[in-house]
mmCIF file of all heavy atoms in Angstrom:
data_model
loop_
_atom_site.group_PDB
_atom_site.id
_atom_site.type_symbol
_atom_site.label_atom_id
_atom_site.label_comp_id
_atom_site.label_asym_id
_atom_site.label_seq_id
_atom_site.Cartn_x
_atom_site.Cartn_y
_atom_site.Cartn_z
ATOM 1 N N PRO A 1 162.487 44.377 71.833
ATOM 2 C CA PRO A 1 162.508 43.115 72.578
ATOM 3 C C PRO A 1 162.857 43.308 74.045
ATOM 4 O O PRO A 1 163.669 44.158 74.404
ATOM 5 C CB PRO A 1 163.599 42.310 71.864
ATOM 6 C CG PRO A 1 164.552 43.355 71.362
ATOM 7 C CD PRO A 1 163.716 44.566 71.039
ATOM 8 N N THR A 2 162.213 42.528 74.885
ATOM 9 C CA THR A 2 162.542 42.363 76.315
ATOM 10 C C THR A 2 162.698 43.679 77.074
ATOM 11 O O THR A 2 163.770 44.030 77.528
ATOM 12 C CB THR A 2 163.813 41.500 76.479
ATOM 13 O OG1 THR A 2 164.936 42.110 75.802
ATOM 14 C CG2 THR A 2 163.584 40.103 75.928
ATOM 15 N N ILE A 3 161.587 44.391 77.203
ATOM 16 C CA ILE A 3 161.601 45.585 78.058
ATOM 17 C C ILE A 3 161.562 45.146 79.522
ATOM 18 O O ILE A 3 161.229 44.006 79.838
ATOM 19 C CB ILE A 3 160.423 46.530 77.741
ATOM 20 C CG1 ILE A 3 159.084 45.895 78.131
ATOM 21 C CG2 ILE A 3 160.434 46.926 76.269
ATOM 22 C CD1 ILE A 3 157.911 46.853 78.044
ATOM 23 N N SER A 4 161.904 46.080 80.431
ATOM 24 C CA SER A 4 162.025 45.661 81.836
ATOM 25 C C SER A 4 161.553 46.677 82.858
ATOM 26 O O SER A 4 161.589 46.394 84.059
ATOM 27 C CB SER A 4 163.492 45.310 82.139
ATOM 28 O OG SER A 4 164.320 46.464 82.070
ATOM 29 N N SER A 5 161.108 47.859 82.429
ATOM 30 C CA SER A 5 160.771 48.887 83.418
ATOM 31 C C SER A 5 159.355 49.416 83.253
ATOM 32 O O SER A 5 158.762 49.352 82.169
ATOM 33 C CB SER A 5 161.755 50.062 83.320
ATOM 34 O OG SER A 5 161.424 50.903 82.230
ATOM 35 N N ALA A 6 158.834 49.966 84.343
ATOM 36 C CA ALA A 6 157.492 50.559 84.328
ATOM 37 C C ALA A 6 157.428 51.733 83.358
ATOM 38 O O ALA A 6 156.437 51.927 82.647
ATOM 39 C CB ALA A 6 157.109 51.004 85.734
ATOM 40 N N GLY A 7 158.505 52.520 83.308
ATOM 41 C CA GLY A 7 158.537 53.658 82.402
ATOM 42 C C GLY A 7 158.464 53.239 80.943
ATOM 43 O O GLY A 7 157.848 53.925 80.125
ATOM 44 N N SER A 8 159.062 52.101 80.622
ATOM 45 C CA SER A 8 159.012 51.602 79.242
ATOM 46 C C SER A 8 157.591 51.229 78.846
ATOM 47 O O SER A 8 157.148 51.491 77.722
ATOM 48 C CB SER A 8 159.929 50.384 79.093
ATOM 49 O OG SER A 8 161.276 50.736 79.350
ATOM 50 N N VAL A 9 156.869 50.613 79.767
ATOM 51 C CA VAL A 9 155.476 50.250 79.504
ATOM 52 C C VAL A 9 154.666 51.506 79.179
ATOM 53 O O VAL A 9 153.879 51.528 78.221
ATOM 54 C CB VAL A 9 154.862 49.514 80.708
ATOM 55 C CG1 VAL A 9 153.390 49.209 80.451
ATOM 56 C CG2 VAL A 9 155.620 48.223 80.999
ATOM 57 N N LYS A 10 154.880 52.536 79.943
ATOM 58 C CA LYS A 10 154.144 53.786 79.740
ATOM 59 C C LYS A 10 154.470 54.406 78.378
ATOM 60 O O LYS A 10 153.568 54.860 77.650
ATOM 61 C CB LYS A 10 154.489 54.767 80.858
ATOM 62 C CG LYS A 10 153.712 56.071 80.808
ATOM 63 C CD LYS A 10 154.060 56.973 81.983
ATOM 64 C CE LYS A 10 153.291 58.290 81.911
ATOM 65 N NZ LYS A 10 153.636 59.202 83.044
ATOM 66 N N LEU A 11 155.750 54.427 78.009
ATOM 67 C CA LEU A 11 156.154 55.005 76.727
ATOM 68 C C LEU A 11 155.526 54.257 75.548
ATOM 69 O O LEU A 11 155.041 54.872 74.590
ATOM 70 C CB LEU A 11 157.679 54.961 76.608
ATOM 71 C CG LEU A 11 158.472 55.973 77.438
ATOM 72 C CD1 LEU A 11 159.949 55.597 77.466
ATOM 73 C CD2 LEU A 11 158.283 57.385 76.888
ATOM 74 N N ILE A 12 155.520 52.930 75.622
ATOM 75 C CA ILE A 12 154.978 52.134 74.519
ATOM 76 C C ILE A 12 153.457 52.262 74.453
ATOM 77 O O ILE A 12 152.877 52.309 73.367
ATOM 78 C CB ILE A 12 155.435 50.671 74.655
ATOM 79 C CG1 ILE A 12 156.943 50.595 74.388
ATOM 80 C CG2 ILE A 12 154.668 49.757 73.714
ATOM 81 C CD1 ILE A 12 157.597 49.313 74.761
ATOM 82 N N ALA A 13 152.819 52.351 75.606
ATOM 83 C CA ALA A 13 151.366 52.556 75.614
ATOM 84 C C ALA A 13 151.000 53.863 74.917
ATOM 85 O O ALA A 13 150.038 53.930 74.135
ATOM 86 C CB ALA A 13 150.846 52.550 77.049
ATOM 87 N N GLU A 14 151.772 54.919 75.185
ATOM 88 C CA GLU A 14 151.511 56.210 74.557
ATOM 89 C C GLU A 14 151.746 56.140 73.045
ATOM 90 O O GLU A 14 150.997 56.726 72.252
ATOM 91 C CB GLU A 14 152.421 57.280 75.179
ATOM 92 C CG GLU A 14 152.057 57.603 76.629
ATOM 93 C CD GLU A 14 153.093 58.483 77.315
ATOM 94 O OE1 GLU A 14 154.179 58.699 76.701
ATOM 95 O OE2 GLU A 14 152.849 58.932 78.453
ATOM 96 N N ALA A 15 152.766 55.397 72.626
ATOM 97 C CA ALA A 15 153.058 55.265 71.196
ATOM 98 C C ALA A 15 151.941 54.511 70.477
ATOM 99 O O ALA A 15 151.586 54.845 69.341
ATOM 100 C CB ALA A 15 154.387 54.542 71.009
ATOM 101 N N LYS A 16 151.389 53.519 71.139
ATOM 102 C CA LYS A 16 150.292 52.763 70.522
ATOM 103 C C LYS A 16 149.044 53.622 70.382
ATOM 104 O O LYS A 16 148.291 53.484 69.405
ATOM 105 C CB LYS A 16 150.002 51.504 71.337
ATOM 106 C CG LYS A 16 151.089 50.448 71.201
ATOM 107 C CD LYS A 16 150.709 49.135 71.865
ATOM 108 C CE LYS A 16 151.722 48.061 71.528
ATOM 109 N NZ LYS A 16 151.349 46.736 72.023
ATOM 110 N N LYS A 17 148.825 54.500 71.336
ATOM 111 C CA LYS A 17 147.686 55.413 71.235
ATOM 112 C C LYS A 17 147.828 56.335 70.028
ATOM 113 O O LYS A 17 146.834 56.766 69.438
ATOM 114 C CB LYS A 17 147.552 56.237 72.518
ATOM 115 C CG LYS A 17 147.038 55.449 73.714
ATOM 116 C CD LYS A 17 146.945 56.324 74.950
ATOM 117 C CE LYS A 17 146.459 55.525 76.166
ATOM 118 N NZ LYS A 17 146.442 56.354 77.406
ATOM 119 N N LYS A 18 149.066 56.638 69.652
ATOM 120 C CA LYS A 18 149.319 57.473 68.478
ATOM 121 C C LYS A 18 149.135 56.705 67.172
ATOM 122 O O LYS A 18 149.153 57.291 66.095
ATOM 123 C CB LYS A 18 150.750 58.022 68.522
ATOM 124 C CG LYS A 18 151.001 59.056 69.608
ATOM 125 C CD LYS A 18 152.451 59.540 69.518
ATOM 126 C CE LYS A 18 152.747 60.601 70.557
ATOM 127 N NZ LYS A 18 154.171 61.048 70.472
ATOM 128 N N GLY A 19 149.026 55.382 67.282
ATOM 129 C CA GLY A 19 148.853 54.568 66.087
ATOM 130 C C GLY A 19 150.141 54.092 65.460
ATOM 131 O O GLY A 19 150.137 53.611 64.313
ATOM 132 N N LEU A 20 151.271 54.189 66.169
ATOM 133 C CA LEU A 20 152.538 53.724 65.620
ATOM 134 C C LEU A 20 152.545 52.202 65.539
ATOM 135 O O LEU A 20 151.957 51.511 66.367
ATOM 136 C CB LEU A 20 153.709 54.200 66.491
ATOM 137 C CG LEU A 20 153.874 55.719 66.669
ATOM 138 C CD1 LEU A 20 155.129 56.020 67.468
ATOM 139 C CD2 LEU A 20 153.910 56.424 65.325
ATOM 140 N N ASP A 21 153.241 51.673 64.530
ATOM 141 C CA ASP A 21 153.331 50.226 64.330
ATOM 142 C C ASP A 21 154.472 49.699 65.201
ATOM 143 O O ASP A 21 155.570 49.409 64.726
ATOM 144 C CB ASP A 21 153.564 49.899 62.857
ATOM 145 C CG ASP A 21 153.345 48.425 62.549
ATOM 146 O OD1 ASP A 21 153.230 47.633 63.504
ATOM 147 O OD2 ASP A 21 153.302 48.073 61.357
ATOM 148 N N ILE A 22 154.182 49.567 66.480
ATOM 149 C CA ILE A 22 155.194 49.187 67.466
ATOM 150 C C ILE A 22 154.720 47.971 68.260
ATOM 151 O O ILE A 22 153.552 47.888 68.646
ATOM 152 C CB ILE A 22 155.497 50.368 68.427
ATOM 153 C CG1 ILE A 22 156.471 49.975 69.532
ATOM 154 C CG2 ILE A 22 154.212 50.906 69.062
ATOM 155 C CD1 ILE A 22 157.874 49.823 69.060
ATOM 156 N N THR A 23 155.612 47.012 68.450
ATOM 157 C CA THR A 23 155.347 45.893 69.352
ATOM 158 C C THR A 23 156.524 45.750 70.295
ATOM 159 O O THR A 23 157.619 46.264 70.029
ATOM 160 C CB THR A 23 155.141 44.570 68.595
ATOM 161 O OG1 THR A 23 156.242 44.369 67.695
ATOM 162 C CG2 THR A 23 153.838 44.562 67.827
ATOM 163 N N CYS A 24 156.285 45.047 71.394
ATOM 164 C CA CYS A 24 157.362 44.811 72.351
ATOM 165 C C CYS A 24 157.132 43.478 73.045
ATOM 166 O O CYS A 24 156.040 42.904 72.984
ATOM 167 C CB CYS A 24 157.462 45.936 73.374
ATOM 168 S SG CYS A 24 156.064 46.012 74.515
ATOM 169 N N SER A 25 158.181 43.003 73.701
ATOM 170 C CA SER A 25 158.078 41.754 74.455
ATOM 171 C C SER A 25 158.700 41.940 75.829
ATOM 172 O O SER A 25 159.396 42.929 76.095
ATOM 173 C CB SER A 25 158.794 40.616 73.714
ATOM 174 O OG SER A 25 160.189 40.850 73.650
ATOM 175 N N VAL A 26 158.447 40.962 76.695
ATOM 176 C CA VAL A 26 159.074 40.926 78.013
ATOM 177 C C VAL A 26 159.483 39.487 78.275
ATOM 178 O O VAL A 26 158.811 38.546 77.843
ATOM 179 C CB VAL A 26 158.115 41.443 79.106
ATOM 180 C CG1 VAL A 26 156.890 40.546 79.252
ATOM 181 C CG2 VAL A 26 158.832 41.570 80.444
ATOM 182 N N ALA A 27 160.600 39.302 78.957
ATOM 183 C CA ALA A 27 161.058 37.961 79.311
ATOM 184 C C ALA A 27 160.299 37.471 80.540
ATOM 185 O O ALA A 27 159.973 38.255 81.437
ATOM 186 C CB ALA A 27 162.557 37.966 79.589
ATOM 187 N N VAL A 28 160.039 36.164 80.575
ATOM 188 C CA VAL A 28 159.325 35.580 81.718
ATOM 189 C C VAL A 28 160.032 35.923 83.022
ATOM 190 O O VAL A 28 159.395 36.265 84.025
ATOM 191 C CB VAL A 28 159.222 34.047 81.568
ATOM 192 C CG1 VAL A 28 158.544 33.439 82.796
ATOM 193 C CG2 VAL A 28 158.462 33.669 80.312
ATOM 194 N N HIS A 29 161.366 35.880 83.022
ATOM 195 C CA HIS A 29 162.087 36.108 84.285
ATOM 196 C C HIS A 29 161.947 37.544 84.790
ATOM 197 O O HIS A 29 162.046 37.782 85.993
ATOM 198 C CB HIS A 29 163.572 35.714 84.168
ATOM 199 C CG HIS A 29 164.310 36.307 83.017
ATOM 200 N ND1 HIS A 29 164.731 35.555 81.943
ATOM 201 C CD2 HIS A 29 164.714 37.575 82.752
ATOM 202 C CE1 HIS A 29 165.380 36.324 81.087
ATOM 203 N NE2 HIS A 29 165.373 37.561 81.554
ATOM 204 N N ASN A 30 161.702 38.503 83.883
ATOM 205 C CA ASN A 30 161.490 39.877 84.352
ATOM 206 C C ASN A 30 160.109 40.076 84.964
ATOM 207 O O ASN A 30 159.861 41.095 85.623
ATOM 208 C CB ASN A 30 161.712 40.875 83.221
ATOM 209 C CG ASN A 30 163.176 41.127 82.935
ATOM 210 O OD1 ASN A 30 163.728 40.600 81.979
ATOM 211 N ND2 ASN A 30 163.831 41.908 83.776
ATOM 212 N N LEU A 31 159.213 39.123 84.750
ATOM 213 C CA LEU A 31 157.914 39.127 85.419
ATOM 214 C C LEU A 31 157.980 38.389 86.755
ATOM 215 O O LEU A 31 157.283 38.738 87.699
ATOM 216 C CB LEU A 31 156.863 38.449 84.529
ATOM 217 C CG LEU A 31 156.624 39.014 83.133
ATOM 218 C CD1 LEU A 31 155.670 38.111 82.359
ATOM 219 C CD2 LEU A 31 156.079 40.433 83.204
ATOM 220 N N PHE A 32 158.831 37.382 86.804
ATOM 221 C CA PHE A 32 158.839 36.433 87.921
ATOM 222 C C PHE A 32 159.788 36.843 89.049
ATOM 223 O O PHE A 32 159.494 36.629 90.222
ATOM 224 C CB PHE A 32 159.242 35.050 87.397
ATOM 225 C CG PHE A 32 158.841 33.903 88.275
ATOM 226 C CD1 PHE A 32 157.632 33.254 88.087
ATOM 227 C CD2 PHE A 32 159.669 33.451 89.288
ATOM 228 C CE1 PHE A 32 157.246 32.190 88.885
ATOM 229 C CE2 PHE A 32 159.305 32.383 90.094
ATOM 230 C CZ PHE A 32 158.088 31.752 89.892
#
């Protein structure tokens, strides 16, 4: 839940490419 950094996005993208059953979210305020 609620990731906040560019590095986290990269790590999760790589995990999804591996086929891991992973999801994540971000809070609106961390975008705004």
Side-chain angles (χ1 to χ4, degrees):
T2 59
I3 68 171
S4 67
S5 79
S8 298
V9 177
K10 184 177 179 181
L11 285 167
I12 291 167
E14 291 170 351
K16 288 187 172 186
K17 287 179 181 177
K18 291 181 179 179
L20 301 184
D21 193 348
I22 176 74
T23 52
C24 68
S25 66
V26 64
V28 177
H29 52 250
N30 282 102
L31 302 173
F32 201 92

